[in-house]
Amino acid sequence: MSTIEQQPSCEDPFDHLMPVDEARRRLLDKLRPERITGVDRVPLGEAAGRVLASPVDAPFNVPIEANAAMDGYALAASDIPDDGTACLPVVGTSWAGRPHSQPLPAGSAVRIFTGAVMPDAADTVVIQEHVQADTQTVTIDHRVVPGRNVRAAGEDVAIGDRVFDAGRCLAAADIGVLASLGFAAVPVRRRLRVAWFTTGDELVSLDQAAQAFAEQAASARAMPVDEPLSIGVPGSGLLYDSNRHTLGALLGACNVECIDLGVVADTLEATRGAFEDAAARADLIISSGGVSTGDADFVRQVFHELGDVAFWRLAMRPGRPLAFGYVGEAAFFGLPGNPVAVMVTFLQFVLPALRRLSGERLPGDAGSTSKDFMRTLEIPAISVSKLRKSPGRTEFQRGVMSVDDSGRVVVASTGMQGAGRLSSMAAANCLIVIAADVETVQPGDTVHVQPLHGLLP
Ligand code: AMP
Ligand code: MG
């Protein structure tokens, strides 16, 4: 079986760590989104977060006709002398949804309300605050600016304009624009199928207990609903499988079809079985754990048998070991086992890959100017903490960003940064990205942060 470019990797005889942006570039280049076919036409109400499969052109102008931007009087600016004083007869009213159907006779005005269609021959709205009026006449004593307070036909979207390109992930404003153009249903790429599993004999699954609670709740037995339910300590040497739930929650926010394959035991057979199952059902497979070089790290072994995979040692922390490649037609990410590393590598690598595989056109794709689009998600902040790190690796430390009394964006460390301390991730609202060549950040130094709410779709 062919192997994808493996340098630099664990198999690389040189002790060379791959920079984060280089790894991201390589893996995005290796993806084959064109092989994931299938289009659904979905009602507009289900299209948010989906990726448009075809371009959309405007079938008509929005607004369709010129209309008033303010409440006032519609008139022809040429009827008003330069000194801005005039008294005009009011010949009718144009309401939003109920236009005044006659053209405007020369030298007259029409009472008009915001959103109402401009009568033919009127080109300007004088706002009601600038006139004196009774039911019959309107007296203007302000200079009139031709065209003022009128929304031109097609000024929002002009007929024939390319409104959206294929590959756009539809956000709320896009849905509104599509609605304004009368699109009741749109073609979108089918949802990506993502299978994930965790590995480790030390892991205890919550699935059975959760199932039992769900069954109990469904039966008539009264259960207290105002307390969290813990099923207690997992047993000596064991721990609850948190990664699978973290990944499930991350994927749940991603508009993909989720296939949870459970906990996989540290044996060659179980690991092989999980990969075969996942590859048969999914476009993208994610595993956690087993990518180091320990005796129980079977993910590595199975990969050498089944897949077209590289093991990378990344110049980052947390998340140094990462496997990436293809198992059959399915793309694969072997994430580290440490819970913080799982989240960080998911956000930095899996999420962009998932977006690319979903057919989304990312900033940085052909024709775009932004090289590493993750950089566009970073903002500068002033560190209020001293941050230590090891040189030569990009660190993603957990931080809490806020705005100080002088209005500056500042960030504080969440404290201890061990890759196993998932609570530090829960306490954080951003990742502090510290460049590889930096050794220490002093209070007052500017760093870059990735707000966590900005990373997920
Ligand atoms: P591994 O890469 O398999 O050696 O895992 C590294 C460490 O991550 C293990 O020692 C566990 O403490 C932790 N770990 C691995 N998998 C999980 C999981 N699914 N949930 C929580 N912690 C995990
Ligand atoms: Mg393990």
Side-chain angles (χ1 to χ4, degrees), residues 41-44 56-62 64 157 163-164 174-186:
R41 188 153 72 187
V42 296
L44 199 58
V56 172
D57 295 339
F60 51 79
N61 280 327
V62 177
I64 300 165
V157 184
V163 185
F164 298 126
D174 305 345
I175 300 293
V177 169
L178 291 167
S180 74
L181 291 165
F183 291 105
V186 286

Side-chain angles (χ1 to χ4, degrees), residues 199-200 202 266 289-290 297:
T199 66
E202 75 278 33
D266 282 328
D297 291 329

Side-chain angles (χ1 to χ4, degrees), residues 185-257:
V186 286
V188 295
R189 304 286 295 260
R190 80 157 164 82
R191 280 202 177 91
L192 204 67
R193 297 178 192 121
V194 183
W196 74 104
F197 58 88
T198 47
T199 66
D201 284 345
E202 75 278 33
L203 300 179
V204 178
S205 171
L206 281 174
D207 293 354
Q208 259 186 334
Q211 181 65 29
F213 282 130
E215 279 162 17
Q216 268 179 313
S219 76
R221 276 179 53 190
M223 299 238 310
V225 292
D226 55 354
E227 290 172 17
L229 290 169
S230 173
I231 56 172
V233 289
S236 174
L238 304 178
L239 54 111
Y240 287 119
D241 172 17
S242 65
N243 288 346
R244 200 157 43 83
H245 294 276
T246 312
L247 287 169
L250 288 164
L251 290 166
C254 290
N255 235 318
V256 296
E257 249 178 61

Side-chain angles (χ1 to χ4, degrees), residues 18 53 75 81 186 456:
M18 195 190 298
L75 46 77
V186 286
L456 281 170

